[in-house]
Amino acid sequence: MAATPGGVTTSRDDLRHRALPVDWQGWTACAAAAAGFCLCLVGWLMGGGAVSLPWAPTLGLHLSFSLDGLGALYALLATGVGVLVFAYGTSYLSLHLEHGHRRAAERWRFWPWMALFAVAMVGLATAQDLVLLFVFFDVTAICSYYLIGFDRAEREARAAALMALLVTVVSAVALLVAAALLYAAYGTFSIPQLVARAPAGTTTTVAAALLAVAALAKSAQVPLHFWLPRAMAAPTPVSAYLHSAAMVAAGVLVLGRVHPLLARSEAVLSGLLVVGLVSIAVGGMLALRQDRLKQLLAYSTISQYGYVVTLYGIGGATGNGAAAFYVLAHGVAKSALFMTAGAVVMATGQDRLSQLGGLRRRMPVLAVAAGVAAATLAALPFTVGFFKDELFFTAALDAGLLVAGLAVAAAALTFAYIGRFWMLLFLGPARGEPGPAPRLLVAPVVVLAVVAVTGGIVVQPFERLAEDAGSISNASPVSLSLAYHLDARPENLMALAAWGLGGLLLAVPRVADRVSRGLAVAGERLGPERAYTASLRALSRVSAALHDREVRDLRNSVAAVLVPAGGLVGLAFATSPTIGAYTVGRVSGSDWLILPLLGLVAIAALTITRAGARVALVLALSVVGFALAAVYALTSAPDVALVAVLVETMLTLVFLAALARLPRDGPGRGRDSRTVAAAAVTGRPTHRWRDPLAGGIAGLAAFAAVWGFLSQPAQVPGVAAEHIRLTPAAHGGDVVTVIVADFRGLDTLGEITVLIVAVIGVAILLHRGRLW
């Protein structure tokens, strides 16, 4: 039962059968995803294509996209699953908002992010540049933040959204650092060029390890897996999309894209193999004891993407081809299972296996479709999932008997936890009287079940797509020969052993339950989530302490910016080689006039810091401007000097006019004496050393940076020559005027607007006597 704002009590059945408004935003997103799927499918069938546009040519950055095999697989997965999840979401979101008594207008906080999520995944799938890859990588994290936190009134949702954002975005910095390392060593951000140029070595190994860290965090692999179960606070369409075709898939997509670089380091591949196997075990064991539907499926996702990471760790044609096929089969099954969980919750109002059962009688269609999805994940025959485990077993055999034995245990875990999920939902005695689920919550599951069975009978389209994708990851052609073989080959025997062990775990759950419970307790006490929480609290305390000091007065606020910046410059200076980086030129010609003027600027700047009278303060400030104008004139820039003189004259007059309107006893009068008196009363120090120290640090940092730049200016072509060439076309007499009024006209307009708004604000405050 639910109470409406007017006090009328309504049941879930009432809400389900109420005529809900059509979700036009959702259907628009669904239509766009369908159009994207058709375009990607046609493009792949026609052999793909590529486009490259200049982005930042001086840095070698290009907007490079290619619909190759790997890009086609993930783009088709993101748009194809997107069509079904978005259609599902049009019904689910309406019910979700109705149950929470929220306005339908909140759809605008949902569908734009879902659509951007799909676009970002397609962009990530087809990106051929590391910086471009990083941009789309982070866009998916931003989208997930707003979608996981959609129910912003709930503290759990807000905390889960922040956790997902911090873990995935902070780890993504490793991707950017790797891109910088590779660019410094090989002069390009282009992934195909890096694959051709980068040899095996220390630089490539370090960069590959950093790329792997970013990808593994995004795919929720141990030990950075803890954010994913918490992300189940999101609405079910988000979970279905995030786990099967978007956020979590982005991590293994990056592994597949840069795998030729990873393969040049045996240490990195071994690390992937270990992390993958550990993630399979941890995710699978924790899934065995979960009671909440989405939590079980979340731990299942950790385990299932562990399979893919393991396959990339094995590498070679077999491992890369199997990884691509596994992602495809898992995406079909997992999205269907999440939508099943959402439909059950909407129909029953319960989200725990212990409170559900016997739903096959009231929801037979959903039971059959969910059974096919579960069979796909468990790799049973006549589903596309059967071939994913066959390929997994083949790759494991190539890696050795130990890995092959662990592969059988992994498949048994999958069989056990997904069998438990389906059996406790749909078998056994009925509990409660569930209402009928809306058709749009069942139809997408049925469509995905049909796809899974079709792939289990006619596997060639899936096989070809996986071959094309695996060829990109392997940097050489991959061939898969998928078919049913009724013989005693090792893969078949391994499958039978996995089903037998999985059935035994279902029949005798006590041993597995004890191990799972112990693992959960150890994770709560010593796991990474505890470290994350402790780190976040420590950072919060440090931030609060710094904020308390920063907001005491304006000078503290300025120092909070200048001092850390100066410290970073000093750190760079101390840790970088500086021999020959700083040169001292000869003083000649007009330099003898410029140096005294710069000295006058320094003296005037020091006078400003100590000036007590307002007029002296304004005059000292004007001396700085006029002296710099003279420097411009001596360096052959008379037009700039004239502009500077006019601006300084105007500002000086404005300051004098404003000061004439201010009260005689403003905050600046007698500041030092009052500060000393207050310090004598309160016992606090005056901190007279603070301002010179902050100014000295910032000044030295700026001096070191400017001197270093002028000593060794960047040897790259600038835009000055192009500006000079284009000046006649802009009908201007000098370059500066054309830059200000034409080339950077919008910037100038924005600056003028800001100044006008500031002047109007100050005038209003002066007029109303509220300046102090």
Side-chain angles (χ1 to χ4, degrees):
M1 305 295 285
T4 63
V8 179
T9 302
T10 57
S11 67
R12 282 182 169 266
D13 286 340
D14 294 332
L15 291 174
R16 264 193 303 271
H17 293 98
R18 182 183 299 173
L20 298 174
V22 178
D23 189 350
W24 293 111
Q25 300 99 313
W27 286 114
T28 301
C30 183
F37 178 80
C38 293
L39 289 174
C40 292
L41 182 61
V42 171
W44 173 59
L45 292 176
M46 294 179 64
V51 61
S52 181
L53 301 172
W55 180 11
T58 56
L59 294 177
L61 293 177
H62 293 80
L63 297 174
S64 298
F65 299 94
S66 175
L67 191 66
D68 53 16
L70 190 68
L73 186 150
Y74 283 93
L76 289 171
L77 195 61
T79 53
V81 171
V83 171
L84 298 174
V85 171
F86 293 175
Y88 177 94
T90 58
S91 178
Y92 184 95
L93 187 63
S94 297
L95 293 171
H96 184 75
L97 295 175
E98 282 282 341
H99 293 164
H101 307 296
R102 296 160 64 180
R103 296 179 303 139
E106 292 200 42
R107 292 192 182 103
W108 288 105
R109 293 182 45 248
F110 184 85
W111 288 116
W113 291 113
M114 288 291 280
L116 182 59
F117 216 148
V119 172
M121 276 304 300
V122 174
L124 185 68
T126 55
Q128 300 292 307
D129 182 280
L130 282 178
V131 175
L132 198 60
L133 201 73
F134 171 78
V135 170
F136 284 113
F137 201 71
D138 269 1
V139 171
T140 61
I142 294 169
C143 292
S144 69
Y145 172 76
Y146 286 103
L147 290 169
I148 294 170
F150 178 71
D151 296 324
R152 55 185 175 180
E154 298 180 11
R155 182 179 179 182
E156 181 184 0
R158 298 195 303 271
L162 180 62
M163 179 182 287
L165 182 70
L166 289 177
V167 173
T168 56
V169 170
V170 171
S171 60
V173 175
L175 193 157
L176 193 59
V177 174
L181 283 175
L182 292 171
Y183 179 79
Y186 308 115
T188 182
F189 290 110
S190 170
I191 297 174
Q193 291 182 24
L194 286 171
V195 170
R197 297 180 189 178
T202 303
T203 300
T204 303
T205 298
V206 172
L210 291 170
L211 291 170
V213 167
L216 293 172
K218 184 76 90 171
S219 288
Q221 296 296 281
V222 175
L224 299 175
H225 65 288
F226 56 90
W227 66 269
L228 191 60
R230 292 285 296 274
M232 294 306 96
T236 297
V238 177
S239 302
Y241 197 51
L242 185 147
H243 285 248
S244 61
M247 177 78 164
V248 192
V252 291
L253 164 58
V254 170
L255 287 179
R257 177 63 68 190
V258 301
H259 194 270
L261 295 174
L262 307 183
R264 287 167 194 178
S265 171
E266 287 296 328
V268 172
L269 291 184
S270 298
L272 290 178
L273 181 61
V274 171
V275 170
L277 289 172
V278 172
S279 297
I280 293 173
V282 171
M285 291 304 299
L286 292 177
L288 274 175
R289 70 179 299 270
Q290 295 302 313
D291 192 35
R292 299 178 66 178
L293 302 181
K294 288 172 64 175
Q295 290 289 321
L296 187 155
L297 295 176
Y299 282 107
S300 164
T301 300
I302 296 170
S303 181
Q304 290 299 301
Y305 278 111
Y307 280 80
V308 181
V309 173
T310 299
L311 289 168
Y312 279 131
I314 294 172
T318 305
N320 284 290
F325 194 92
Y326 208 103
V327 168
L328 190 59
H330 172 262
V332 172
K334 187 54 64 67
S335 56
L337 291 169
F338 266 107
M339 288 189 280
T340 298
V344 168
V345 172
M346 281 296 175
T348 64
Q350 303 293 338
D351 67 343
R352 294 182 179 274
L353 288 171
S354 58
Q355 299 169 347
L356 294 166
L359 294 179
R360 71 186 186 281
R361 298 184 180 88
R362 296 296 301 271
M363 309 174 76
V365 176
L366 184 64
V368 172
V372 172
T376 301
L377 204 62
L380 296 183
F382 304 108
T383 67
V384 70
F386 174 82
F387 299 105
K388 72 176 175 60
D389 269 21
E390 181 183 7
L391 292 172
F392 179 59
F393 292 148
T394 302
L397 286 168
D398 290 344
L401 291 178
L402 176 61
V403 176
L406 293 174
V408 173
L413 267 179
T414 300
F415 186 94
Y417 64 66
I418 207 61
R420 173 175 174 267
F421 173 84
W422 187 85
M423 291 169 62
L424 291 180
L425 269 184
F426 296 104
L427 301 183
R431 299 184 182 182
E433 289 294 328
R439 293 180 180 178
L440 273 176
L441 298 188
V442 178
V445 183
V446 174
V447 172
L448 288 169
V450 171
V451 171
V453 172
T454 303
I457 299 173
V458 184
V459 72
Q460 283 72 27
F462 298 88
E463 179 184 57
R464 180 188 164 189
L465 185 57
E467 286 176 344
D468 289 352
S471 298
I472 300 300
S473 301
N474 194 49
S476 61
V478 168
S479 177
L480 304 176
S481 300
L482 300 178
Y484 292 104
H485 303 282
L486 300 177
D487 52 27
R489 64 183 57 205
E491 290 86 347
N492 286 347
L493 297 178
M494 293 169 73
L496 292 173
W499 298 336
L501 287 174
L504 187 62
L505 287 174
L506 281 174
V508 187
R510 291 184 179 180
V511 176
D513 188 61
R514 289 178 182 176
V515 175
S516 180
R517 187 181 298 110
L519 188 62
V521 171
E524 292 173 0
R525 293 180 179 177
L526 305 172
E529 185 173 357
R530 187 181 181 90
Y532 164 85
T533 303
S535 301
L536 207 60
R537 289 175 178 171
L539 288 173
S540 179
R541 288 193 294 268
V542 172
S543 176
L546 292 176
H547 179 265
D548 180 59
R549 290 184 173 274
E550 179 185 350
V551 299
R552 289 180 182 177
D553 55 40
L554 179 60
R555 297 189 179 209
N556 273 349
S557 298
V558 174
V561 176
L562 296 181
V563 172
L568 290 174
V569 173
L571 181 63
F573 184 85
T575 56
S576 303
T578 56
I579 298 177
Y582 292 88
T583 59
V584 179
R586 293 181 299 174
V587 179
S588 62
S590 62
D591 295 342
W592 291 106
L593 296 175
I594 293 176
L595 289 177
L597 287 172
L598 293 178
L600 180 61
V601 170
I603 294 172
L606 291 174
T607 303
I608 292 170
T609 63
R610 306 303 303 168
R614 294 169 177 169
V615 174
L617 182 67
V618 173
L619 292 179
L621 188 62
S622 66
V623 168
V624 174
F626 286 122
L628 290 176
V631 172
Y632 298 149
L634 291 172
T635 53
S636 302
D639 46 359
V640 178
L642 179 60
V643 172
V645 168
L646 292 175
V647 170
E648 290 301 329
T649 303
M650 181 187 68
L651 288 178
T652 301
L653 295 174
V654 169
F655 273 124
L656 289 173
L659 291 174
R661 299 291 302 274
L662 294 178
R664 292 183 180 275
D665 290 330
R669 307 289 291 180
R671 173 181 58 84
D672 293 336
S673 61
R674 283 202 307 273
T675 302
V676 173
V681 173
T682 61
R684 294 180 179 178
T686 59
H687 298 304
R688 295 176 62 88
W689 52 265
R690 176 195 57 185
D691 298 342
L693 179 62
I697 292 174
L700 288 174
F703 178 73
V706 172
W707 188 7
F709 174 77
L710 294 178
S711 297
Q712 294 185 355
Q715 300 298 320
V716 294
V719 297
E722 189 69 8
H723 284 165
I724 295 172
R725 186 182 69 83
L726 293 175
T727 294
H731 307 288
D734 67 275
V735 178
V736 175
T737 302
V738 171
I739 290 174
V740 172
D742 192 314
F743 300 155
R744 297 183 65 243
L746 290 176
D747 291 347
T748 304
L749 178 62
E751 292 165 1
I752 293 172
T753 304
V754 171
L755 288 175
I756 291 174
V757 171
V759 168
I760 293 174
V762 171
I764 293 173
L765 291 174
L766 287 171
H767 178 70
R768 297 182 178 180
R770 296 181 181 177
L771 187 60
W772 303 113

